[in-house]
Amino acid sequence: MKNNIIRSLILSVGVASMVQSANAATLTYNAGDLFLGFRSATGSTDYIIDIGQASIYRDLAANTQISVTNIGSDLANVFGGNWNSAVRNDLFWAVAGTPGSTAVGSDPSNTLYATIEQNPFGSATSTPSAPASNSTQSQPTNRMVSLAGSYNNQDSNTGFGGAAVNPAGFRQDGSTATSWQFFMGGSQPFSGNSYSYFPGGIEGNFGSGNEGSALDLYRIAKTTGGNAATLEGTFTIADSGLVTFTNGIVPEPTSAAMLALGASVLGFSRRRRA
């Protein structure tokens, strides 16, 4: 299976190139994009980055791995040089998004994308939230759209966008009511449900080091769409800060690092708006 993934990685050059071309022109959030977010239980500054349309991950070929983005410099700037250490059990990460109140491509309105951490790492035991009605799923959808609005606006009340190295990254004031930190559970010590909807949250933490954490991405269509939640693939992050997404069996950390090295040139970034 590892050989299949490696071969598929080579084939994924075209996929990642399309991602780069499609997302290099602007920072502006588009309906249906996913956010990758980080926050600390001991700090008040978040870090979020728009990683492109959910369809990129939903439609990825089986047994394929792509490079998503490299944010090691930003994570070190925001959370310290030891962000990837097991001593940072206060550091959490997740991915989430929605097309919003109208359909985007094959995603009906109020479709939800959210992660669940593999526990233990390398297992297939994560369980997503069950699909719900249109009106019920509209509630977390509206909160996700609010986060997107604060990302687009980048005003002095919601963040410190200029401090990010990656031009698509956004340092955010977690004390505001439209911040990633707020939507992950509100005020510290973060005991709530993500987006006031997902029981137990959608995050993983780095208590075992960053390479001991993997996030399974689920697509949760509303019940009126007739679909159950589906597993789309898994996000992992290397010590360098390179984030990868795999549709298939996730390689062991050492193998993943080798794959990531080969894929590093495929990562994309998006320039800030003028």
Side-chain angles (χ1 to χ4, degrees), residues 220-246:
I220 308 169
K222 57 197 179 186
T223 51
T224 51
N227 297 314
T230 56
L231 176 63
E232 303 301 332
T234 304
F235 289 97
T236 52
I237 184 168
D239 274 332
S240 64
L242 180 66
V243 179
T244 57
F245 181 80
T246 305

Side-chain angles (χ1 to χ4, degrees), residues 203-230:
E203 299 173 290
N205 70 52
F206 291 165
S208 299
N210 64 294
E211 292 196 0
S213 181
L215 303 175
D216 289 336
L217 177 68
Y218 286 92
R219 176 182 182 270
I220 308 169
K222 57 197 179 186
T223 51
T224 51
N227 297 314
T230 56

Side-chain angles (χ1 to χ4, degrees), residues 11-22 66-67 263 265-268:
L11 295 176
S12 72
V13 171
V15 175
S17 296
M18 288 188 292
V19 171
Q20 184 175 9
S21 297
I66 59 171
S67 172
V265 296
L266 306 180
F268 63 82

Side-chain angles (χ1 to χ4, degrees), residues 128-211:
S129 296
S133 67
N134 183 61
S135 60
T136 299
Q137 290 200 185
S138 70
Q139 298 170 28
T141 291
N142 291 339
R143 297 181 186 109
M144 291 179 182
V145 171
S146 294
L147 176 67
S150 68
Y151 176 85
N152 272 345
N153 292 333
Q154 296 185 53
D155 59 49
S156 59
N157 295 321
T158 58
F160 316 98
V165 174
N166 189 305
F170 182 40
R171 292 182 60 185
Q172 209 177 25
D173 182 353
S175 66
T176 64
T178 56
S179 68
W180 176 265
Q181 186 174 125
F182 179 84
F183 286 124
M184 288 303 106
S187 59
Q188 297 176 25
F190 303 102
S191 58
N193 299 330
S194 298
Y195 288 105
S196 301
Y197 182 81
F198 298 97
I202 64 173
E203 299 173 290
N205 70 52
F206 291 165
S208 299
N210 64 294
E211 292 196 0

